[in-house]
Coordinates of all heavy atoms in Angstrom, one line a residue:
A182 N -50.7 -1.4 -7.6 CA -51.0 -0.2 -8.4 C -49.7 0.6 -8.7 O -49.7 1.4 -9.7 CB -52.0 0.7 -7.7
H183 N -48.6 0.3 -8.0 CA -47.4 1.0 -8.2 C -46.5 0.4 -9.2 O -45.5 0.9 -9.6 CB -46.6 1.1 -6.9 CG -47.3 1.9 -5.8 ND1 -47.5 3.3 -5.9 CD2 -47.9 1.5 -4.7 CE1 -48.1 3.7 -4.8 NE2 -48.4 2.6 -4.1
L184 N -46.9 -0.8 -9.7 CA -46.1 -1.5 -10.7 C -46.8 -1.6 -12.0 O -47.9 -2.2 -12.2 CB -45.8 -2.9 -10.2 CG -44.7 -3.7 -10.9 CD1 -43.4 -3.2 -10.6 CD2 -44.8 -5.2 -10.6
S185 N -46.2 -1.0 -13.0 CA -46.8 -1.0 -14.4 C -46.4 -2.3 -15.1 O -45.6 -3.1 -14.6 CB -46.3 0.1 -15.2 OG -44.9 0.0 -15.5
D186 N -47.1 -2.6 -16.2 CA -46.8 -3.8 -17.0 C -45.3 -3.7 -17.5 O -44.6 -4.8 -17.5 CB -47.7 -3.9 -18.2 CG -49.1 -4.3 -17.7 OD1 -49.3 -4.7 -16.6 OD2 -50.1 -4.0 -18.6
E187 N -44.9 -2.5 -17.8 CA -43.5 -2.4 -18.3 C -42.5 -2.7 -17.2 O -41.5 -3.4 -17.4 CB -43.3 -0.9 -18.7 CG -41.9 -0.6 -19.3 CD -41.8 0.9 -19.6 OE1 -42.0 1.7 -18.7 OE2 -41.4 1.2 -20.8
Q188 N -42.8 -2.3 -16.0 CA -41.9 -2.6 -14.9 C -42.0 -4.1 -14.5 O -40.9 -4.7 -14.2 CB -42.3 -1.7 -13.6 CG -42.0 -0.2 -13.8 CD -42.6 0.6 -12.7 OE1 -43.8 0.4 -12.4 NE2 -41.9 1.4 -12.1
R189 N -43.1 -4.6 -14.6 CA -43.3 -6.1 -14.3 C -42.5 -6.9 -15.2 O -41.8 -7.8 -14.8 CB -44.8 -6.4 -14.3 CG -45.1 -7.9 -14.0 CD -46.6 -8.1 -14.1 NE -47.0 -9.5 -13.6 CZ -46.9 -10.5 -14.4 NH1 -46.5 -10.4 -15.7 NH2 -47.3 -11.7 -14.0
D190 N -42.5 -6.6 -16.5 CA -41.8 -7.3 -17.5 C -40.3 -7.1 -17.2 O -39.5 -8.1 -17.4 CB -42.1 -6.8 -18.9 CG -43.5 -7.1 -19.4 OD1 -44.1 -8.0 -18.7 OD2 -44.0 -6.5 -20.3
A191 N -39.9 -5.9 -16.8 CA -38.4 -5.7 -16.5 C -38.0 -6.5 -15.3 O -36.9 -7.1 -15.3 CB -38.2 -4.2 -16.2
V192 N -38.9 -6.6 -14.3 CA -38.5 -7.4 -13.1 C -38.3 -8.9 -13.5 O -37.4 -9.5 -13.1 CB -39.7 -7.3 -12.1 CG1 -39.5 -8.3 -11.0 CG2 -39.7 -5.9 -11.5
V193 N -39.3 -9.4 -14.3 CA -39.2 -10.8 -14.7 C -37.9 -11.1 -15.5 O -37.2 -12.1 -15.3 CB -40.4 -11.2 -15.4 CG1 -40.3 -12.6 -16.0 CG2 -41.7 -11.2 -14.5
Q194 N -37.6 -10.1 -16.4 CA -36.4 -10.3 -17.2 C -35.1 -10.3 -16.3 O -34.2 -11.1 -16.6 CB -36.3 -9.2 -18.2 CG -35.1 -9.4 -19.2 CD -35.1 -8.4 -20.3 OE1 -36.2 -7.8 -20.7 NE2 -34.0 -8.2 -21.0
T195 N -35.1 -9.5 -15.3 CA -33.9 -9.5 -14.5 C -33.7 -10.8 -13.7 O -32.6 -11.2 -13.4 CB -33.9 -8.3 -13.5 OG1 -35.1 -8.4 -12.7 CG2 -33.9 -6.9 -14.2
V196 N -34.8 -11.4 -13.4 CA -34.8 -12.7 -12.7 C -34.2 -13.7 -13.6 O -33.5 -14.7 -13.1 CB -36.2 -13.1 -12.1 CG1 -36.2 -14.5 -11.6 CG2 -36.6 -12.1 -11.1
R197 N -34.5 -13.7 -14.9 CA -34.1 -14.7 -15.8 C -32.6 -14.5 -16.3 O -32.2 -15.4 -17.1 CB -35.0 -14.7 -17.0 CG -36.5 -15.1 -16.6 CD -37.3 -15.3 -17.8 NE -38.7 -15.5 -17.4 CZ -39.2 -16.7 -16.9 NH1 -38.4 -17.7 -16.7 NH2 -40.5 -16.8 -16.6
Q198 N -32.0 -13.5 -16.0 CA -30.6 -13.3 -16.5 C -29.7 -12.8 -15.4 O -30.1 -12.2 -14.4 CB -30.6 -12.2 -17.7 CG -31.2 -10.9 -17.3 CD -31.5 -10.1 -18.5 OE1 -32.0 -10.6 -19.6 NE2 -31.3 -8.8 -18.5
S199 N -28.4 -13.1 -15.6 CA -27.4 -12.7 -14.5 C -26.9 -11.3 -14.6 O -26.4 -10.8 -13.6 CB -26.2 -13.7 -14.7 OG -25.6 -13.5 -15.9
T200 N -27.1 -10.7 -15.8 CA -26.6 -9.3 -15.9 C -27.7 -8.5 -16.5 O -28.3 -8.8 -17.6 CB -25.4 -9.2 -16.8 OG1 -24.4 -10.1 -16.3 CG2 -24.9 -7.8 -16.9
T201 N -28.1 -7.3 -15.9 CA -29.1 -6.5 -16.4 C -28.6 -5.0 -16.3 O -28.0 -4.6 -15.3 CB -30.4 -6.6 -15.5 OG1 -30.9 -7.9 -15.6 CG2 -31.5 -5.6 -16.0
V202 N -28.9 -4.3 -17.4 CA -28.6 -2.9 -17.4 C -30.0 -2.2 -17.5 O -30.7 -2.2 -18.5 CB -27.8 -2.5 -18.7 CG1 -27.4 -1.0 -18.6 CG2 -26.5 -3.3 -18.7
L203 N -30.4 -1.6 -16.3 CA -31.8 -1.1 -16.2 C -31.7 0.4 -16.4 O -31.1 1.2 -15.6 CB -32.3 -1.4 -14.8 CG -33.7 -0.8 -14.5 CD1 -34.8 -1.5 -15.4 CD2 -34.1 -1.1 -13.1
T204 N -32.2 0.9 -17.5 CA -32.1 2.4 -17.8 C -33.5 3.0 -17.8 O -34.5 2.4 -18.0 CB -31.5 2.6 -19.2 OG1 -32.4 2.2 -20.2 CG2 -30.2 1.8 -19.3
G205 N -33.5 4.3 -17.7 CA -34.7 5.1 -17.7 C -34.5 6.5 -17.1 O -33.5 6.7 -16.4
G206 N -35.3 7.4 -17.6 CA -35.1 8.8 -17.1 C -35.7 8.9 -15.7 O -36.2 8.0 -15.1
P207 N -35.7 10.2 -15.2 CA -36.3 10.4 -13.9 C -37.8 10.1 -13.9 O -38.5 10.4 -14.8 CB -36.0 11.9 -13.7 CG -35.9 12.5 -15.0 CD -35.2 11.4 -15.8
G208 N -38.2 9.5 -12.8 CA -39.7 9.2 -12.6 C -40.2 8.0 -13.3 O -41.4 7.7 -13.4
T209 N -39.3 7.2 -14.0 CA -39.7 6.0 -14.7 C -39.8 4.8 -13.8 O -40.2 3.7 -14.3 CB -38.8 5.7 -15.9 OG1 -37.4 5.6 -15.4 CG2 -38.9 6.8 -16.9
G210 N -39.5 4.9 -12.5 CA -39.7 3.8 -11.6 C -38.6 2.8 -11.5 O -38.8 1.6 -11.3
K211 N -37.3 3.3 -11.7 CA -36.2 2.3 -11.6 C -36.1 1.7 -10.2 O -35.8 0.5 -10.1 CB -34.9 3.1 -12.0 CG -34.9 3.6 -13.5 CD -33.5 4.1 -13.9 CE -33.1 5.4 -13.1 NZ -34.0 6.5 -13.4
T212 N -36.2 2.5 -9.2 CA -36.1 2.0 -7.8 C -37.2 1.1 -7.5 O -37.0 0.0 -6.8 CB -36.1 3.2 -6.8 OG1 -35.0 4.1 -7.2 CG2 -35.9 2.6 -5.4
T213 N -38.5 1.4 -8.0 CA -39.6 0.4 -7.8 C -39.3 -0.9 -8.4 O -39.5 -2.0 -7.8 CB -40.9 1.0 -8.4 OG1 -41.2 2.3 -7.8 CG2 -42.0 0.1 -8.3
T214 N -38.7 -0.9 -9.6 CA -38.4 -2.1 -10.3 C -37.3 -2.9 -9.5 O -37.4 -4.1 -9.4 CB -37.9 -1.8 -11.7 OG1 -38.9 -1.0 -12.4 CG2 -37.6 -3.0 -12.5
V215 N -36.3 -2.2 -9.0 CA -35.2 -2.8 -8.3 C -35.7 -3.5 -7.0 O -35.4 -4.6 -6.7 CB -34.1 -1.8 -7.9 CG1 -33.1 -2.4 -6.9 CG2 -33.3 -1.4 -9.2
A216 N -36.6 -2.8 -6.3 CA -37.1 -3.3 -5.0 C -37.9 -4.6 -5.3 O -37.7 -5.6 -4.6 CB -38.0 -2.3 -4.3
R217 N -38.7 -4.6 -6.3 CA -39.5 -5.8 -6.6 C -38.7 -6.9 -7.2 O -38.9 -8.1 -7.0 CB -40.7 -5.4 -7.5 CG -41.8 -4.7 -6.7 CD -42.7 -3.9 -7.5 NE -43.8 -3.4 -6.7 CZ -43.7 -2.4 -5.9 NH1 -42.5 -1.8 -5.6 NH2 -44.8 -2.0 -5.2
M218 N -37.6 -6.6 -7.9 CA -36.7 -7.6 -8.4 C -36.0 -8.3 -7.3 O -35.8 -9.5 -7.3 CB -35.7 -6.9 -9.3 CG -34.5 -7.8 -9.8 SD -33.0 -7.6 -8.7 CE -32.6 -6.0 -9.0
L219 N -35.6 -7.5 -6.2 CA -35.0 -8.1 -5.0 C -36.0 -9.1 -4.3 O -35.5 -10.1 -3.8 CB -34.5 -7.0 -4.1 CG -33.4 -6.1 -4.6 CD1 -33.1 -5.1 -3.5 CD2 -32.1 -7.0 -4.9
V220 N -37.2 -8.7 -4.3 CA -38.2 -9.6 -3.7 C -38.3 -10.9 -4.4 O -38.2 -12.0 -3.8 CB -39.6 -8.9 -3.7 CG1 -40.7 -10.0 -3.3 CG2 -39.6 -7.8 -2.7
L221 N -38.3 -10.9 -5.8 CA -38.4 -12.1 -6.5 C -37.1 -13.0 -6.4 O -37.2 -14.2 -6.3 CB -38.7 -11.8 -8.0 CG -40.0 -11.3 -8.3 CD1 -40.2 -11.2 -9.8 CD2 -41.2 -12.0 -7.7
L222 N -36.0 -12.3 -6.4 CA -34.7 -13.0 -6.2 C -34.6 -13.6 -4.8 O -34.1 -14.8 -4.7 CB -33.5 -12.1 -6.5 CG -33.4 -11.7 -8.0 CD1 -32.2 -10.7 -8.1 CD2 -33.2 -12.9 -8.9
A223 N -35.0 -12.9 -3.8 CA -35.0 -13.4 -2.5 C -36.0 -14.6 -2.3 O -35.7 -15.6 -1.6 CB -35.4 -12.3 -1.5
D224 N -37.1 -14.5 -3.0 CA -38.0 -15.6 -3.0 C -37.5 -16.9 -3.7 O -37.7 -18.0 -3.2 CB -39.3 -15.2 -3.7 CG -40.4 -16.3 -3.6 OD1 -41.0 -16.4 -2.5 OD2 -40.7 -17.0 -4.6
Q225 N -36.7 -16.7 -4.8 CA -36.1 -17.8 -5.5 C -35.0 -18.4 -4.5 O -35.0 -19.7 -4.5 CB -35.4 -17.3 -6.8 CG -36.3 -16.9 -7.9 CD -36.9 -18.1 -8.6 OE1 -36.2 -19.0 -9.0 NE2 -38.2 -18.1 -8.7
A226 N -34.3 -17.6 -3.8 CA -33.3 -18.2 -2.9 C -34.0 -18.9 -1.8 O -33.5 -20.0 -1.3 CB -32.4 -17.0 -2.3
H227 N -35.1 -18.4 -1.3 CA -35.9 -19.1 -0.2 C -36.4 -20.4 -0.7 O -36.4 -21.4 0.1 CB -37.1 -18.2 0.2 CG -37.9 -18.8 1.3 ND1 -37.5 -18.9 2.6 CD2 -39.2 -19.3 1.2 CE1 -38.5 -19.4 3.3 NE2 -39.5 -19.7 2.4
A228 N -36.8 -20.5 -2.0 CA -37.3 -21.8 -2.5 C -36.2 -22.8 -2.5 O -36.4 -24.0 -2.5 CB -37.9 -21.6 -3.9
R229 N -34.9 -22.4 -2.6 CA -33.8 -23.3 -2.6 C -33.3 -23.5 -1.2 O -32.3 -24.2 -1.0 CB -32.6 -22.7 -3.4 CG -33.0 -22.5 -4.9 CD -31.7 -22.2 -5.7 NE -31.0 -21.0 -5.2 CZ -31.2 -19.7 -5.7 NH1 -32.1 -19.5 -6.6 NH2 -30.6 -18.7 -5.2
G230 N -33.9 -22.9 -0.2 CA -33.5 -23.0 1.2 C -32.3 -22.2 1.5 O -31.5 -22.5 2.4
E231 N -32.1 -21.1 0.8 CA -31.0 -20.2 1.0 C -31.5 -18.8 1.4 O -32.6 -18.4 1.3 CB -30.2 -20.1 -0.3 CG -29.6 -21.4 -0.8 CD -29.0 -21.4 -2.2 OE1 -29.0 -20.2 -2.7 OE2 -28.5 -22.4 -2.7
R232 N -30.5 -18.0 1.8 CA -30.8 -16.6 2.1 C -30.0 -15.7 1.1 O -28.8 -15.9 0.9 CB -30.3 -16.3 3.6 CG -30.5 -14.8 4.0 CD -31.9 -14.6 4.6 NE -32.1 -13.2 5.0 CZ -33.2 -12.8 5.6 NH1 -34.1 -13.6 5.9 NH2 -33.3 -11.5 5.9
L233 N -30.7 -14.7 0.5 CA -30.1 -13.9 -0.5 C -29.2 -12.8 0.2 O -29.7 -12.1 1.1 CB -31.2 -13.2 -1.3 CG -30.7 -12.5 -2.6 CD1 -30.3 -13.5 -3.7 CD2 -31.8 -11.6 -3.1
S234 N -28.0 -12.6 -0.3 CA -27.1 -11.5 0.2 C -27.1 -10.4 -0.9 O -26.8 -10.7 -2.1 CB -25.7 -12.0 0.5 OG -25.1 -12.5 -0.6
V235 N -27.4 -9.2 -0.5 CA -27.5 -8.1 -1.5 C -26.7 -6.9 -1.1 O -26.6 -6.6 0.1 CB -29.0 -7.6 -1.5 CG1 -29.2 -6.5 -2.5 CG2 -30.0 -8.8 -1.9
A236 N -26.0 -6.3 -2.1 CA -25.3 -5.1 -1.9 C -25.9 -4.0 -2.8 O -26.0 -4.3 -4.0 CB -23.8 -5.3 -2.2
L237 N -26.2 -2.9 -2.2 CA -26.6 -1.7 -3.0 C -25.4 -0.7 -3.0 O -24.9 -0.4 -2.0 CB -27.8 -1.0 -2.4 CG -29.0 -1.9 -2.1 CD1 -30.1 -1.1 -1.4 CD2 -29.5 -2.5 -3.4
A238 N -25.1 -0.2 -4.2 CA -23.9 0.6 -4.3 C -24.1 1.7 -5.3 O -25.0 1.7 -6.1 CB -22.7 -0.2 -4.7
A239 N -23.3 2.8 -5.2 CA -23.3 3.9 -6.1 C -22.0 4.6 -6.0 O -21.2 4.4 -5.1 CB -24.5 4.9 -5.7
P240 N -21.7 5.4 -7.0 CA -20.4 6.1 -7.0 C -20.1 7.1 -5.8 O -19.0 7.3 -5.4 CB -20.3 6.8 -8.3 CG -21.3 6.1 -9.2 CD -22.4 5.7 -8.2
T241 N -21.2 7.7 -5.3 CA -21.1 8.6 -4.2 C -21.9 8.2 -3.0 O -22.8 7.4 -3.1 CB -21.5 10.0 -4.6 OG1 -23.0 10.0 -4.8 CG2 -20.8 10.5 -5.9
G242 N -21.5 8.7 -1.9 CA -22.2 8.4 -0.6 C -23.7 8.8 -0.7 O -24.6 8.1 -0.2
K243 N -23.9 10.0 -1.2 CA -25.3 10.5 -1.3 C -26.1 9.7 -2.2 O -27.3 9.4 -1.8 CB -25.2 12.0 -1.8 CG -26.6 12.7 -1.8 CD -27.1 12.9 -0.4 CE -28.4 13.8 -0.4 NZ -28.8 14.0 1.0
A244 N -25.6 9.3 -3.3 CA -26.4 8.4 -4.2 C -26.7 7.1 -3.6 O -27.8 6.5 -3.7 CB -25.7 8.2 -5.5
A245 N -25.7 6.5 -2.8 CA -25.9 5.2 -2.2 C -27.0 5.4 -1.1 O -27.9 4.5 -0.9 CB -24.6 4.8 -1.5
T246 N -27.0 6.5 -0.3 CA -28.0 6.7 0.7 C -29.4 6.8 0.1 O -30.3 6.2 0.6 CB -27.6 8.0 1.5 OG1 -26.4 7.8 2.1 CG2 -28.7 8.3 2.5
R247 N -29.5 7.5 -1.0 CA -30.8 7.7 -1.7 C -31.3 6.4 -2.2 O -32.5 6.1 -2.1 CB -30.7 8.7 -2.8 CG -30.6 10.1 -2.4 CD -30.8 11.0 -3.6 NE -32.0 10.8 -4.3 CZ -32.1 10.3 -5.6 NH1 -31.0 9.9 -6.2 NH2 -33.2 10.1 -6.2
L248 N -30.4 5.5 -2.7 CA -30.8 4.2 -3.2 C -31.3 3.4 -2.1 O -32.4 2.7 -2.2 CB -29.6 3.5 -3.9 CG -29.9 2.1 -4.4 CD1 -31.0 2.1 -5.4 CD2 -28.6 1.5 -5.0
Q249 N -30.6 3.3 -1.0 CA -31.1 2.5 0.1 C -32.4 3.0 0.7 O -33.3 2.2 0.9 CB -30.0 2.5 1.2 CG -30.4 1.6 2.4 CD -29.3 1.7 3.5 OE1 -28.9 2.8 3.9 NE2 -29.0 0.5 4.1
E250 N -32.5 4.3 0.9 CA -33.8 4.8 1.4 C -35.0 4.5 0.5 O -36.1 4.2 0.9 CB -33.7 6.3 1.6 CG -32.7 6.7 2.7 CD -32.5 8.2 2.8 OE1 -32.8 8.9 1.8 OE2 -31.9 8.7 3.8

Side-chain angles (χ1 to χ4, degrees):
H183 297 288
L184 191 73
S185 67
D186 290 342
E187 181 182 59
Q188 291 170 311
R189 183 180 184 277
D190 292 343
V192 169
V193 172
Q194 184 172 339
T195 60
V196 171
R197 298 189 185 282
Q198 57 195 38
S199 60
T200 304
T201 300
V202 183
L203 180 65
T204 71
T209 53
K211 296 188 294 294
T212 304
T213 298
T214 304
V215 167
R217 284 157 173 76
M218 173 265 294
L219 293 177
V220 167
L221 293 187
L222 290 176
D224 186 73
Q225 290 283 310
H227 178 72
R229 299 191 301 269
E231 301 171 359
R232 179 88 181 183
L233 191 73
S234 60
V235 179
L237 305 178
T241 68
K243 185 67 173 180
T246 299
R247 283 189 59 247
L248 175 62
Q249 183 181 45
E250 292 172 347

